[in-house]
């Protein structure tokens, strides 16, 4: 963990490069798009409208402030999935730069996660508008919102280190992670309330880090959440475990990955 923190400080010393990588990621994502960066806010809104129709009207899901529940789940999931799924390619796409000069290679997956964080922050705007339109009351735990975001950021960086490192040696990681991410999404209460899941399957939630992050995020924003302190503790442990595991895999393979790029 000490080595991990020292390497993160090293990444921050390259903040000018980090800034340029983040700007590049955002520009590439919205290149030749008519609405450009506005898709950051429009995308979750459109997804919310579709899922709201399906689950609230067709499946008759009745949850208090369902629109807020749905949109908050979508934008937090997008933060995690966008950051980790894009970081799968981060090392192999920058192979020419890695081979030519010395850089802390972890800066590439880290930059992708930071660009996902920026997208997430902007996507909070439509969520706050929905809160205002629906008259949704903000929680007294709003001061915990930065903590919820930080936990997802750390967890995403750990997963990004794992998948980006594995992709260097096993390109099948790209396709495997796509399938895992899809399954992960359906096992997370993003668009359905956890109350509809039978008790015998509740262990799935308890094993799912995103369940805790979503609970903390929603609890910090507006929702009364049971066992809130425990979920913060569990989310913190999952984030630390993700970062530590990702760093160990990355550190063990960083010196030899140049031969496979």
């Amino acid at each position: 963990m000490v080595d991990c923190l020292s390497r993160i400080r090293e990444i921050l010393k390259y903040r000018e490069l980090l800034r340029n990588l983040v700007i590049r990621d955002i520009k590439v994502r919205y290149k030749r798009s008519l609405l450009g960066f506005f898709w950051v806010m429009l995308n979750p809104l459109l997804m919310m409208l579709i899922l709201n129709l399906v689950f609230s009207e067709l499946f008759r899901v009745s949850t208090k402030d369902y629109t807020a529940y749905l949109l908050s789940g979508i934008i937090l999931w997008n933060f995690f999935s966008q950051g980790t799924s894009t970081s799968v390619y981060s090392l192999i796409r920058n192979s020419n730069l890695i081979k030519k000069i010395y850089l802390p290679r972890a800066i590439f997956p880290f930059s992708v996660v930071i660009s996902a964080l920026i997208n997430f922050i902007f996507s909070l705007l439509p969520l706050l508008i929905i809160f205002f339109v629906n008259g949704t009351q903000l929680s007294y735990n709003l001061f915990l919102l930065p903590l919820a975001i930080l936990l997802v950021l750390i967890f995403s960086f750990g997963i990004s280190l794992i998948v980006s490192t594995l992709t260097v040696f096993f390109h099948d990681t790209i396709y495997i992670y796509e399938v895992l991410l899809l399954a992960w999404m359906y096992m997370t209460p993003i668009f359905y309330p956890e109350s509809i899941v039978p008790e015998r399957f509740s262990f799935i939630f308890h094993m799912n880090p995103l369940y805790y992050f979503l609970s903390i995020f929603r609890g910090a924003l507006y929702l009364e959440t049971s066992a809130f302190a425990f979920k913060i503790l569990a989310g913190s442990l999952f984030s630390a475990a993700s970062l530590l595991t990702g760093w160990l895999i990355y550190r063990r393979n960083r010196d030899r990955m140049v031969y496979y790029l």
Side-chain angles (χ1 to χ4, degrees), residues 7 34 36 57 69 71 73 76 88 101 154 161 175 226 236 247:
R7 293 292 179 174
L34 184 63
E57 298 298 329
Y69 182 89
L71 187 55
L76 193 75
V88 168
I101 57 175
I154 294 172
L161 284 173
Y175 312 110
S226 60
S236 301
W247 195 264

Side-chain angles (χ1 to χ4, degrees), residues 88-177:
V88 168
Y89 306 92
S90 60
L91 292 174
I92 57 177
R93 283 182 174 171
N94 291 282
S95 58
N96 289 336
L97 195 56
I98 292 172
K99 290 176 181 178
K100 288 178 181 177
I101 57 175
Y102 170 77
L103 290 168
R105 290 154 194 169
I107 197 172
F108 297 108
F110 187 64
S111 69
V112 173
V113 174
I114 293 298
S115 66
L117 172 64
I118 293 172
N119 287 336
F120 168 76
I121 291 172
F122 278 94
S123 66
L124 286 173
L125 179 59
L127 178 61
L128 294 176
I129 293 174
I130 290 295
F131 278 20
F132 177 76
V133 171
N134 289 348
T136 303
Q137 286 287 100
L138 291 175
S139 169
Y140 291 112
N141 295 319
L142 192 62
F143 68 94
L144 291 173
L145 184 59
L147 173 63
I149 297 171
L150 178 63
L151 291 178
V152 181
L153 176 68
I154 294 172
F155 183 79
S156 300
F157 181 44
I159 297 296
S160 296
L161 284 173
I162 294 171
V163 295
S164 61
T165 301
L166 292 179
T167 301
V168 173
F169 305 99
F170 311 103
H171 282 215
D172 289 347
T173 303
I174 297 170
Y175 312 110
I176 294 171
Y177 189 64

